[in-house]
Amino acid sequence: MFKAVSRLSRKRPPSEIHDSNSNPSSSLQNLSGTVRWTASLESLLEDEEGVKRFREFLKREFSEENVLFWIACEEFKKIQDIKQLHERATQIYMTFLSSKSPNQVNVEGQSRLNESILEHPHPLMFEALQEQIFNLMKYDSYNRFLKSDIFLKCKNMEESGRNPSNADESVPKRASRIYNNT
């Protein structure tokens, strides 16, 4: 359903949004997998496998809605058609921001939001809320993810030359994939 975000639509260029302890001169493009995920939350969110594993971790912590909301907002910013913009704004609001939503994200000032914001949708209408959720993930969930068994398992598999994306495959499924060369 949701995929990694190939280029983060942030106010600052990607070269300026990495943590202060990362080396801006190093090329993250040459890094892969778990090594790249540790560089920053931004790098993790740009990697499809990283998003998959981060979602798995957040699901265990009962906060998967945070990354789903963030990704939905990234996709929302790209919409040009006003009708589609209105439909997607309503969907995001009802899924993540409505007080009736089972997937409600916890953002400051949420009580002030109501359906009236949907009357005049624009691509940046959720930006402040998205930024709050991003910071919540960056300074809370992301650090715990890097210490989690999910991340460490992926890292160990990667270091031993195995593909972490196939880690959840059953033996028959893996055998079938290998036999059929898929």
Side-chain angles (χ1 to χ4, degrees):
M1 180 180 193
F2 293 104
K3 297 191 311 184
V5 178
S6 60
R7 184 168 179 245
L8 301 176
S9 56
R10 314 255 313 157
K11 293 179 184 174
R12 298 173 290 175
S15 61
E16 295 178 14
I17 58 178
H18 299 288
D19 295 335
S20 58
N21 62 352
S22 67
N23 184 355
S25 64
S26 68
S27 174
L28 291 176
Q29 302 303 329
N30 297 331
L31 301 177
S32 63
T34 57
V35 174
R36 188 164 187 222
W37 303 350
T38 61
S40 67
L41 177 58
E42 292 87 349
S43 296
L44 172 74
L45 294 172
E46 290 174 349
D47 183 85
E48 191 170 338
E49 184 66 20
V51 170
K52 179 182 174 184
R53 299 304 174 176
F54 191 50
R55 280 185 64 187
E56 182 182 344
F57 170 76
L58 291 176
K59 190 179 283 188
R60 286 186 185 179
E61 293 207 333
F62 305 100
S63 59
E64 181 186 24
E65 67 276 0
N66 290 337
V67 74
L68 295 177
F69 172 72
W70 187 88
I71 292 171
C73 290
E74 286 295 299
E75 293 171 353
F76 181 75
K77 292 175 187 179
K78 299 173 188 172
I79 298 173
Q80 301 287 324
D81 180 66
I82 191 70
K83 183 179 179 191
Q84 190 179 8
L85 197 67
H86 187 270
E87 290 171 1
R88 190 68 177 125
T90 301
Q91 184 182 19
I92 289 172
Y93 178 82
M94 298 307 289
T95 303
F96 301 109
L97 301 173
S98 169
S99 60
K100 300 171 187 169
S101 172
N103 298 315
Q104 185 180 23
V105 292
N106 186 15
V107 291
E108 295 175 21
Q110 186 171 339
S111 60
R112 292 190 304 259
L113 292 179
N114 57 46
E115 291 187 46
S116 66
I117 66 167
L118 302 174
E119 293 173 9
H120 304 286
H122 58 88
L124 301 177
M125 66 189 287
F126 300 118
E127 187 173 46
L129 300 176
Q130 182 189 20
E131 187 69 27
Q132 285 183 34
I133 292 300
F134 179 83
N135 285 328
L136 177 66
M137 291 188 302
K138 182 175 183 174
Y139 297 111
D140 187 34
S141 306
Y142 173 66
N143 291 322
R144 285 196 312 279
F145 169 72
L146 295 178
K147 298 172 187 166
S148 72
D149 61 325
I150 293 171
F151 173 79
L152 296 174
K153 180 180 175 183
C154 289
K155 183 179 176 187
N156 290 338
M157 289 185 75
E158 197 173 84
E159 289 171 351
S160 68
R162 293 180 294 177
N163 185 353
S165 64
N166 297 333
D168 298 331
E169 264 184 342
S170 66
V171 172
K173 193 172 188 178
R174 187 169 34 254
S176 174
R177 181 181 51 77
I178 292 168
Y179 177 76
N180 294 316
N181 293 321
T182 59

